Structure formats: C-alpha cells, structure tokens
Amino acid sequence: MDTFDDIQALWGKQNEPHPSADSPDKIMAKADKNKKELRLNHLSTMAILTVTVGVVIWYASVFGNRAYTDVTIGLFLMIASMILRIGFEYFSLRKFNQITPKNTTKACLEATISFQKLRRRIQFFVTPLSLLSYVLGFVMLLPYIKAGVSEGFYWYILGSGVVLLIFFSVIIYRQIKREIHLMNHLEESYTKLME
Amino acid sequence: MTQAEFTELYKKYFPKVFRLCKGYFGGNSDIATDITQEVFVNVWQQHETFRQEANIGTWIYQIAANKCLLYLRKASTRNEQSTEILPDVQDETYDTSTDEKLQKMYACIAQLDDSNRLIILMVLDGLGYDEIAAIVGVSEDTLRVKIHRIKKALTACVTT
C-alpha cells in the first residue's frame, strides 16, 4: 500500500455492511414514539415545575407572616435553588435539542459552540447562586431543627446535609469540567475545519 | 415522504451512513449501529422540513456527520473507541494480511481530527468534492487543499 489509491481500493474491499439494526418499519415506529414521548416529557416536566412553584408560593403566602418566618425563607431558598437548577438543566437540554443536525458541519459546530458558551456563562452564574441559596436556606433552618428534634437526630441531619452538599458539588464540578473539555474539543474541531 | 419512500432511502443509505460512522468511531460497530439508527430516526422525524430542491443524500450525510461529531457530547467515548471489530472483506484477492491492513487503516483514520476524519471517510466512500463541500460547509477550493493534506497524512501513516 504505497498510494492513496491503494487505501481506497482496500476500503472498497469491505463487505456491504449488514448491521444488526432495526428494520425501516421499526425505525419509523421508534421515531414516532420518540416524538410523542418528548412531547409528553416536556409537558410533565412543565407540570411538575409549575406545581412545585405553585406550592412554594402558596406556602409562602399562607405561612409567610407567621412567627417562623426564617423557616419559610429557609425552605423557600432550598426549594428555589433546586427548581432553579432543574429548570436550568431542562431548558438547556431543550435548547440543545433544537440545534438541528440537518445543517452543514460548519453551521452545526458553530451553533453547538455558541450553545456551550452560553451554558458555560450560565453555569458560572446560576450554579454558585443555587448552591449559595441552598446552603443559606439550610443554615437558616438549623436552629429550628435543633429545637424540634433530638440532639442525635440533629447531628444526623447536619452531617447528611453536609455530605449531600459535598456530593452534589463534586457532581457539578465534574459536569463543568467535562463541559469545558467538550468546549475545547469543539473549538479545536472548528479551527481544524476552517484551516 | 411516504413509508415506501423512506424504506427505499433506508436501503440505499443505511450501508453508507453505517460505514461513515464505523470509520469515524475506529471500527466500532455497536456505536456505528446506534448512530446510524439515530440518523434515520431523525430523517423520518424531520422529513417534512426537507427542501425538495436539495439533494436528499447530502441531507442524510449532513445529519450523519453532525450526529457523529456531537456524539462526544452524549458520551465520552473518544478514548474508548475500539478497533477490534473489523469489517468483513469481500474479494477474491483476500488474504490474511488484508485484516491487518484494514486494522491499520482504521487506526490511522482514528488518529485524524474529527472533521478531517469525516471528510476522508466521505472521499473513501466515493462522494464528489462538490457534495462533500455542501455537507461540510466549506468552499470547494478549501476542501481540495484539505483533502490533499489529509490524503498525504493518511498515506504516510498507513505505509509506515
């Protein structure tokens, strides 16, 4: 094999592939099912988010003016941080799915890079904010938890809360690291394409 | 697009898309099968948006190329690509060294960067420069220079 023609000839020697894939009928059925599932998934996520926000608003309006204002604010901060995070991830996923693959490689890479840049900017703003909100809410609740439960259970709640926070922080850190790596890789691909 | 038309398209383009994906993922048939199926799921889901004046083959290749490129976002497989699964060969001049040569070729293709890998795989599959330029989104002149460079690099890798 000395020339590119030899390589091309070798490539041509491969059999027509017969992969163990689904038949066209199954592919069409799968595509239609996926479409329906996506719509259903979107609706159910929106419903869950709306109900959760509704419950938080209702809770704040009913108990907001009572004696345990710190409890209300604390709970609100913790729930809000989670809603913020889930909402961000969900809308981010939807935005990514809108990047159409039926475009030129150049356009698709440009759209993905711009999406990743936006995500990175939000990630550096929303993530610390939601973590801060969660910690603040948790700290505000601690005195009330201490007053309401046994000392052993209090330490258990405190310990598990800290462990959970560290666990989620590690997951988020790894996610951000992976996204930065992906971003660099996409940018490198784009630069090479345009060279 | 009717179901019969889709079936025709599927029969015609499945092997081409599969081969492109398999080459892109270093000979990994499992990933190639998954992506190829995803490509045709997309084709069926989005066939209404296809402009009739465009070339359907180019459209399918665009989806395939972008699915391969963005697979990294779905799973970190870049370092896990396998070259163990090799294609069957058909030819009377087949000998045992063909396997080794193919293995080396897949390994050399895997060393190229993403976009170059896609481009050379389309060249190997016999697509015209105009078609590849339309799929990738660069001018034919730029593409010509790129392909010259990739061919040189690939030949050097395979022959050493």
Side-chain angles (χ1 to χ4, degrees):
Chain A
M1 270 205 306
D2 295 326
T3 64
F4 184 77
D5 289 340
D6 296 334
I7 295 173
Q8 187 136 31
L10 182 67
W11 183 260
K13 278 184 183 176
Q14 297 175 88
N15 254 334
E16 274 288 285
H18 297 291
S20 54
D22 289 338
S23 66
D25 289 345
K26 281 188 182 165
I27 295 270
M28 282 183 276
K30 192 178 169 186
D32 293 336
K33 198 177 158 212
N34 277 1
K35 223 174 179 175
K36 279 180 196 158
E37 276 175 0
L38 268 178
R39 201 173 301 139
L40 197 70
N41 192 20
H42 167 62
L43 288 173
S44 53
T45 310
M46 289 308 290
I48 291 168
L49 283 176
T50 310
V51 168
T52 316
V53 171
V55 168
V56 171
I57 292 169
W58 170 80
Y59 185 86
S61 66
V62 172
F63 299 101
N65 295 325
R66 302 268 172 93
Y68 295 115
T69 312
D70 282 357
V71 176
T72 311
I73 296 173
L75 273 176
F76 177 79
L77 283 174
M78 285 179 82
I79 294 169
S81 73
M82 281 191 278
I83 293 173
L84 196 68
R85 183 79 210 169
I86 294 166
F88 162 63
E89 286 298 337
Y90 175 70
F91 288 110
S92 191
L93 182 70
R94 266 185 73 79
K95 197 166 161 46
F96 176 73
N97 287 338
Q98 280 164 5
I99 296 175
T100 168
K102 56 183 178 59
N103 225 327
T104 63
T105 308
K106 183 175 170 251
C108 188
L109 272 175
E110 282 168 351
T112 313
I113 288 170
S114 132
F115 165 77
Q116 286 296 141
K117 275 184 180 167
L118 175 74
R119 200 178 145 83
R120 190 170 57 180
R121 276 200 294 270
I122 297 172
Q123 196 72 284
F124 281 115
F125 175 70
V126 175
T127 305
L129 198 72
S130 70
L131 273 177
L132 195 73
S133 164
Y134 188 85
V135 172
L136 200 66
F138 187 64
V139 169
M140 283 176 81
L141 285 178
L142 281 178
Y144 298 93
I145 296 171
K146 197 175 185 178
V149 297
S150 68
E151 197 179 339
F153 194 53
Y154 168 74
W155 284 108
Y156 166 76
I157 291 173
L158 184 63
S160 58
V162 171
V163 169
L164 264 180
L165 189 71
I166 293 170
F167 176 71
F168 284 121
S169 300
V170 170
I171 288 179
I172 291 168
Y173 169 75
R174 288 176 72 171
Q175 186 191 22
I176 293 175
K177 207 174 146 193
R178 202 169 54 236
E179 285 190 16
I180 289 172
H181 166 74
L182 173 73
M183 181 76 200
N184 294 339
H185 182 72
L186 288 172
E187 279 180 335
E188 190 191 313
S189 297
Y190 185 75
T191 311
K192 292 269 184 188
L193 178 67
M194 300 315 291
E195 267 175 1
Chain B
M1 185 190 292
T2 63
Q3 292 196 354
E5 283 168 343
F6 177 79
T7 305
E8 277 306 303
L9 270 185
Y10 181 90
K11 280 181 190 161
K12 185 175 176 190
Y13 286 101
F14 198 108
K16 293 174 193 287
V17 172
F18 177 78
R19 195 139 49 179
L20 178 85
C21 296
K22 189 170 179 174
Y24 186 84
F25 291 105
N28 190 319
S29 292
D30 292 338
I31 299 178
T33 305
D34 283 351
I35 305 260
T36 309
Q37 289 195 100
E38 263 188 48
V39 169
F40 283 94
V41 164
N42 258 255
V43 168
W44 179 246
Q45 280 177 339
Q46 302 191 13
H47 68 268
E48 284 163 6
T49 63
F50 172 68
R51 288 176 291 111
Q52 291 302 321
E53 68 270 19
N55 183 318
I56 190 98
T58 306
W59 189 63
I60 293 173
Y61 267 106
Q62 275 178 347
I63 297 175
N66 294 336
K67 283 275 173 194
C68 288
L69 265 176
L70 298 183
Y71 184 76
L72 184 71
R73 200 184 182 278
K74 247 175 99 177
S76 309
T77 54
R78 200 163 183 239
N79 299 320
E80 297 163 15
Q81 289 163 17
S82 159
T83 52
E84 287 168 12
I85 309 153
L86 282 169
D88 299 329
V89 285
Q90 59 163 21
D91 200 274
E92 284 166 6
T93 59
Y94 169 78
D95 58 76
T96 48
S97 69
T98 309
D99 264 351
E100 288 165 26
K101 286 176 188 168
L102 276 168
Q103 192 158 14
K104 190 163 190 186
M105 187 165 75
Y106 270 94
C108 286
I109 291 171
Q111 283 175 24
L112 298 169
D113 78 85
D114 295 358
S115 55
N116 286 350
R117 213 181 312 162
L118 283 171
I119 290 169
I120 204 65
L121 286 165
M122 289 189 261
V123 172
L124 285 169
D125 235 15
L127 267 75
Y129 283 20
D130 55 337
E131 221 177 330
I132 300 174
I135 292 162
V136 174
V138 296
S139 72
E140 259 188 78
D141 288 340
T142 310
L143 186 74
R144 213 170 286 278
V145 176
K146 279 179 80 66
I147 289 176
H148 177 72
R149 265 190 262 150
I150 307 167
K151 277 182 176 178
K152 212 170 146 185
L154 186 63
T155 310
C157 175
V158 171
T159 50
T160 51

